[in-house]
Structures are given as structure tokens and as C-alpha cells.
Amino acid sequence: MSRGTVLVTGGAGYIGSHTVVELLKEGYDAVVVDNMGNAVQGDNGPESLHRVEKITGKKVTFYELDLREPEKLEKVFKDHKITAVLHFAGLKSVNESVSQPLEYYNNNISGTLILLEIMMKYGVKQFVFSSSATVYGPPEQNPVDEPHRVGFGITNPYGRTKYFIEEILRDVVIADPEWRVTMLRYFNPVGAHESGLIGEDPDGPPNNLMPYVSQVAIGRRPHLVVFGNDWETPDGTGVRDWIHVVDLAVGHIAALNKLPSNAGIKVYNLGTGRGYSVLEAVKEFEKASGKEVKYVIGPRRPGDLANVVADAQLSEKELGWKATRGLPEMCADLWRWQDQNPYGFRKKEDAK
């Protein structure tokens, strides 16, 4: 018997597709909406979701639509008895947001507002929001815990869209205490499903470190550019809290399961609590893949920070969730995905 029907926005994307796997394993039905902006079309739907069905042996209902198309989105709510929403849909590149701020504000904030309005109309008031550690801005202490100041000194429009949406959600809950909203601030997702069937598949050169590293290792890119070696860190390169995408997906299910008893607004960090520098991560990936990853040092990138690590004790205490996969497993699973799918979900001639 189904535990309920969950709408997953952006569910054909990297984190969304891994979460749909865990959602189906947990006994929920999944309805996915995605505008296919970062997904690859397969036969009758996104290739990622075809592979999710292969992994789980279960059916995923899919609609290709943009959240800024209210008539289409409302039809989904009319046709399905949605019990909760996992909201992943949004543009997510820090670097790209600096050069395309209006696109990020329009897509991320407008889409969320329309989604919330339609949820209100249909009485669906359980919501898990895919937020980000970028809302903290430059950390005043490491590791960063949930009471840390947010919204101050955020270095890029992407992070500000997440912060603004968090504030919108707070106002929604103040206006209507029946809402149950959990905001998950996560750090740096990497890795892939252990099957090697699904993983991160950026359209064009990756904006994040580890997918770029894996594409250098497989021969798609000549070398990695390390953005700055003069940060105040042990080896001069940026330090990040990388979290396995499957741990992240399991964290969303833990938050979803807790929604009925988590009234109001709840905020949780999803991270490992352990930071690795860029060069440490590159060396770990070389070990996992047996390949050399060539790199050059470049200037710092606008919007980047030196060192950000999560304090995830609250999510362990209240959600019963803890990251269990370390960097070696993240690298091994990422390499399995890249090795089995050199061009991701695409054919060689379609890859950029």
C-alpha cells in the first residue's frame, strides 16, 4: 500500500532522480515534473527516470512542464492526490548566476511562488525545500550550524534566491500554521548511484568540481582549473564538505517522513561535518579511478568562499539521519558512473 503520492519538482535532475529512487524504495508513489532544462530526453520521457524505473522496478509518472506554467501545473494537482512536495526545481550554478542574475531570480523565485499558490489552492501543505549552504554567506565559524546568521554577505544570486525563498516560506507558515515546511541546507553533493545507472550529467562544461574532475579522467576535458591556491586553508585551495548524493537523497526521505509531526518551519543541514580541500579531493579521485587528473591553477572565481563545513548534529538528533558514505566511496561511485557512461545520458555526438 502506498504511503502517499509525492510531487517531485526537478525530479529528472541529478539530486531529484536519486531522491526518487529512495522515495520509491520507501513505499511512496512519485509524480515528477521537470522542464528538461538540465535533463536528457529518452524514449517517452527523461532518460534518468527510465533508469530510475530500472533500478527500482517501479513506475514514475512524469510531466514535462515549467513551474511558471500554472495551468499545466494545476492539472497535475487535479489529476493526482498529492500529499507532499519535494521541491528541487531551479537553476543551481553559483558561477552562472553571477553572469545571469535575472534568469536565476525569475526561474527560482517565480516558479516557487506559483507552486506554493497552487499547493494552497489544493490544500497541500507539506513541503520539503531544497535549500543550500550558500544562504550562510561567509561563515563566522566552522562547522556551520543552523542558527548561524543567514542572508548576510551572500556572494552570488543563486544563494540569494535560496535565501529569499526561505524567507517566503517563513511568511507562509506565519500566515497559515497548518503548513509543515522543512528546509534542507545542503553542502556539496557528489557521487552517483552504486549501480552506475544514474549520476550527474551537466549540459556542457561542468560548473562543479567533481564532475569536471571525472570528465578530465575519462578524457573529455584536457585539464581541471583550480580556482585559486591562495585561500587561507592548509594547501591554499578551497575546502568543502562533500556529501554523497545518495546520503543526501536519504536525508530528504527522513525529512519527508518527519513532516507530519514537524509543524511549522524546520531547518536542517545535510553534510558530513568533514572538509576536504580541492587538491585532496582530486587525489582521492585519482586513487579511485587509477587515472591522472591534470590541473592548472587559475585565479579565484567570483562568488567562491575559502572554507565551508556543515554541523549536521541537528539532523541526526531530530531526523535520525547521518551521512554514512565518505569521500572514497563518493569518488568510487562517481567514477563507476563516468566510466560506464562516458558522455552521461547523451550520445557522444550530442555531448558538449
Side-chain angles (χ1 to χ4, degrees), residues 55-97:
I55 290 166
T56 61
K58 295 182 178 178
K59 176 74 179 154
V60 179
T61 303
F62 173 71
Y63 296 89
E64 183 175 346
L65 61 86
D66 192 293
L67 295 181
R68 294 167 293 178
E69 300 176 295
E71 299 84 5
K72 290 183 180 179
L73 183 59
E74 187 164 348
K75 188 171 188 309
V76 175
F77 280 82
K78 281 179 183 170
D79 292 349
H80 301 274
K81 189 170 174 50
I82 305 296
T83 52
V85 174
L86 299 180
H87 182 35
F88 296 98
L91 298 171
K92 66 182 181 106
S93 164
V94 166
N95 198 35
E96 186 180 65
S97 77

Side-chain angles (χ1 to χ4, degrees), residues 123-285:
V124 181
K125 298 181 180 181
Q126 296 195 103
F127 192 74
V128 178
F129 175 52
S130 163
S131 191
S132 165
T134 54
V135 301
Y136 293 120
E140 295 172 343
Q141 83 275 338
N142 263 313
V144 182
D145 61 9
E146 291 86 351
H148 187 287
R149 179 170 61 175
V150 295
F152 181 79
I154 297 174
T155 55
N156 55 81
Y158 163 73
R160 276 188 282 277
T161 67
K162 294 295 187 181
Y163 169 65
F164 293 152
I165 292 167
E166 284 197 5
E167 293 296 289
I168 290 165
L169 291 170
R170 290 183 191 282
D171 289 336
V172 167
V173 171
I174 289 168
D176 183 353
E178 287 185 2
W179 278 80
R180 283 160 161 71
V181 173
T182 295
M183 305 190 295
L184 299 177
R185 294 174 182 158
Y186 41 83
F187 284 65
N188 297 79
V190 298
H193 192 267
E194 63 184 6
S195 64
L197 286 171
I198 57 173
E200 189 165 10
D201 183 24
D203 184 15
N207 286 302
N208 297 323
L209 173 72
M210 295 308 281
Y212 209 107
V213 166
S214 67
Q215 289 191 10
V216 172
I218 202 76
R220 283 181 62 182
R221 312 280 168 200
H223 59 260
L224 169 73
V225 178
V226 176
F227 296 109
N229 64 347
D230 56 351
W231 297 98
E232 291 182 15
T233 60
D235 65 14
T237 64
V239 170
R240 296 290 177 267
D241 185 338
W242 277 285
I243 175 172
H244 197 296
V245 66
V246 175
D247 277 334
L248 194 62
V250 171
H252 284 78
I253 307 308
L256 176 67
N257 289 341
K258 192 77 172 175
L259 276 181
S261 60
N262 254 356
I265 285 265
K266 297 287 184 178
V267 181
Y268 300 104
N269 286 336
L270 296 185
T272 66
R274 167 75 196 270
Y276 290 92
S277 75
V278 169
L279 292 184
E280 284 178 313
V282 168
K283 285 173 189 164
E284 196 62 56
F285 189 85

Side-chain angles (χ1 to χ4, degrees), residues 298-311:
R300 293 184 183 189
R301 188 168 58 171
D304 278 348
L305 296 170
N307 185 355
V308 188
V309 177
D311 180 336

